[in-house]
Amino acid sequence: MSNSTLSYASSKAAPRAIRDIRPPLLELRNLSTHYVSQQGTRVVPAVDDVTLSIRPGETLGVVGESGSGKSTLALSILRVLPTAARIVNGQILFEGEDLVTKSDSEMRHVRGKRIAMILQDPMASLNPLFTIGNQVAESMRVHEGTRRRAAWQRAIELLKSVRIPSSETRVTQFPHEMSGGMRQRIVGAIGISCEPRLLIADEPTTSLDLTIQAQYLALLRDIQREHGLALIFITHNLGIVAKMCDQLAVMYAGRLVEYGPVERIFDNPVHPYTKALLNSIPRIDGMRQRLTAIEGQPPDMARLSPGCAFAARCPMAFDRCRVEAPPSVALEENRTARCWLAVPEPPRAAVGVA
């Protein structure tokens, strides 16, 4: 990790003490979401026993390889899972209410109004048959009962707030008339239209070039500061995590293998998978080092071994790792790791003269 990144992460540590005294906005307790085949013979634990929390105004980064369960975690929070998926255990406490127990009609008052989501592909959110103005205004009309003319005017203001030029003209246009960067900003405008308490961004910068990506990240930070919302940022890019996030959740094979404040994990990673991810990033501070490649492939989620899911790829694995899954170990306040190397050794009996 570069010196500049370290200083940036450290600069965010001071206000955290103020935020930590507030209760969590969102708290997941032992959440498990499984995909089950039609015959029930194949079960994929896409999210397995995940516990984490996020407070108002915080940004939580969620990282991991493709297939690690990041997007399923986000869809579980919103309760918009595919037909084959089901939440089999745990709680999703949002502002003190358990979303798992809510009905579909009750969840419709949560989605878009109190929790919003920005998808990786903006065209998956935008309808090609409706104008931009109608789509930005829709949430306000549905959730807040805003009249058409007022919602249309508010849509223009939202487009201006996400820095789209000529907003009065753009609201009359269709998604195919916008660039990729503009479409991503438009779904961001839709996401904040009802001023939600929590915004989930699922790899929103993947399809953007570096210049537009930097502008979009700056825009997200400005939106977060202006509206005071909490942000869950799902990404593969650890550089973005260092720049944007307060807390970090590292997922592997559906499990949360390490979780805690960003600067502490970057300074002293505990889980071998987290170490490998950080060692795969080129340094810009002048130090020469060989980049680490993680050998092997992620496991078949439907045929997980009884031990640690990362054991087959872990250079530090020992016999116990292959036969018994490690528990989640509390390393310090608000920091956990799921690794046998983090489990403290039991105290040895003192040997002496009676």
Side-chain angles (χ1 to χ4, degrees), residues 252 294-299 305 307-315 317 321-322:
Y252 186 82
I294 304 176
E295 302 293 339
Q297 297 293 327
S305 65
C308 175
F310 189 61
R313 307 173 71 187
C314 180
C321 300
R322 299 178 179 87

Side-chain angles (χ1 to χ4, degrees), residues 7 38 78-79 90 105 182 238 251 255 272 312 329 337:
S7 62
Q38 189 171 6
L78 280 169
R79 297 265 313 277
S105 60
M182 280 188 170
L238 286 169
M251 295 192 69
R255 293 174 179 170
V329 181

Side-chain angles (χ1 to χ4, degrees), residues 54-133:
I54 181 172
R55 290 176 169 79
E58 278 189 342
T59 301
L60 169 68
V62 183
V63 301
E65 292 173 285
S66 296
S68 62
K70 305 185 302 297
S71 294
T72 300
L73 180 68
L75 296 178
S76 298
I77 294 171
L78 280 169
R79 297 265 313 277
V80 287
L81 291 162
T83 306
R86 62 193 68 171
I87 297 173
V88 298
N89 187 47
Q91 294 178 295
I92 303 172
L93 300 177
F94 180 72
E95 296 184 318
E97 301 176 5
D98 188 0
L99 301 185
V100 175
T101 63
K102 288 188 175 293
S103 65
D104 289 339
S105 60
E106 289 174 323
M107 282 302 300
R108 280 194 287 271
H109 295 287
V110 175
R111 302 185 198 107
K113 172 63 176 175
R114 296 164 63 191
I115 305 176
M117 185 170 180
I118 300 173
L119 298 177
Q120 179 176 351
D121 179 11
M123 288 305 287
S125 303
L126 298 174
N127 191 321
L129 302 180
F130 291 92
T131 64
I132 297 301

